[in-house]
Amino acid sequence: MLSCRDLEYKAGSFHLKGFSLELKQGDYCALLGPSGSGKTVILELIAGLRPLKKGAVIIDGTDCTLLPPQHRPVGILFQDYALFPHMSVYKNIAWPLEIRKMKTNEIKAAVVSLTSDLDIERLMDRMPGSLSGGEKQRVALARTLAAHPKVLLLDEPLSALDAPLREQSALLLKKVSQTGITILHVTHDQTEVSSLANRQINIGSIT
């Protein structure tokens, strides 16, 4: 499903070299390592947000190495959630569907379905600034899932949450994983993904 072959990237003093990864459909893989080891960079290379120096990214048998981010079957959820502050919850979730020129009624049906699944229907008219950390995370996850990605990339999605919310969010991610989506979850805390991941990759400090 997801194949990273000898990925190389260099920026300033940072150098990622020869990173490879093979994940099957439905795998939940934890990518562990200390700060500065390149975990987030790897996610951004897979998503097409950074240009590869060498290597290839293959998703579901398609070479995506040269495809722009919007044409890759990938969703990425950042640590800070990156919600649009000037858009309502509804508009945030609808945005990736709008840029794909979907019909208004189809967008509405998709947003209603996602907000129901993630228990955030009551938030649709709210603005991001009025949401709690857990609510922001669910909205960001709904927006990420709206385009039905085959691969979901998670950049420390639980680290900013307190213990009760972290537990709830872990259960939510487990539910998402059971749909068959392939997940790569970046973290520095092994206990965070102990009940979620069926695969684990450890990377050291990359220079």
Side-chain angles (χ1 to χ4, degrees), residues 9-10 12-17 36-38 204-207:
Y9 175 79
K10 191 169 185 180
S13 61
F14 177 84
H15 192 187
L16 173 74
K17 189 174 183 180
S37 59
S205 182
I206 301 172
T207 58

Side-chain angles (χ1 to χ4, degrees), residues 11 27 30 163:
D27 272 346

Side-chain angles (χ1 to χ4, degrees), residues 1-3 23 25 57-64 73 150-151:
M1 166 54 75
L2 172 62
S3 177
L23 296 182
Q25 182 177 354
V57 175
I58 313 295
I59 301 173
D60 199 20
T62 299
D63 189 342
C64 297
K150 294 178 179 178
V151 176

